[in-house]
């Protein structure tokens, strides 16, 4: 999801999306540990998407101040 699309969402939706992505990242780490990981490139995509969401959340928090 692009940053422009994320900026149109409210902070509650972004927080929920962040929790879902963090759970997915945890599940991927568990799959990697057990040797069942199918798509290792998903790690990089998830990290970047999480960072993008956190950036937008910080922008919105600074905007409200």
């Amino acid at each position: 999801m692009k940053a422009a699309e994320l900026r149109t969402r409210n902070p509650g939706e972004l927080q929920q999306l962040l929790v879902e992505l963090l759970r997915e990242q945890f599940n991927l780490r568990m799959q990697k540990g057990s040797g069942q990981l199918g798509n290792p490139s998903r790690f990089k995509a998830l990290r970047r998407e999480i960072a993008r969401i956190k950036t937008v959340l910080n922008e919105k928090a600074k905007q409200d101040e």
Side-chain angles (χ1 to χ4, degrees):
M1 189 171 287
K2 298 201 180 242
E5 295 172 13
L6 293 173
R7 286 186 180 100
T8 61
R9 295 185 177 207
N10 64 34
E13 291 174 342
L14 289 174
Q15 195 67 34
Q16 185 174 0
L17 184 59
L18 180 62
V19 169
E20 290 173 11
L21 291 177
L22 288 171
R23 282 189 185 141
E24 184 179 350
Q25 186 180 37
F26 174 78
N27 289 334
L28 284 176
R29 281 197 317 262
M30 292 299 112
Q31 287 177 5
K32 182 180 179 183
S34 65
Q36 298 175 350
L37 185 61
N39 188 3
S41 65
R42 182 70 179 136
F43 273 116
K44 183 177 180 179
L46 264 177
R47 269 196 329 267
R48 288 182 177 198
E49 201 165 338
I50 289 169
R52 208 173 283 127
I53 290 172
K54 286 183 176 183
T55 300
V56 171
L57 280 171
N58 282 331
E59 287 175 356
K60 288 183 180 274
K62 287 183 180 182
Q63 212 172 39
D64 291 340
E65 289 179 354

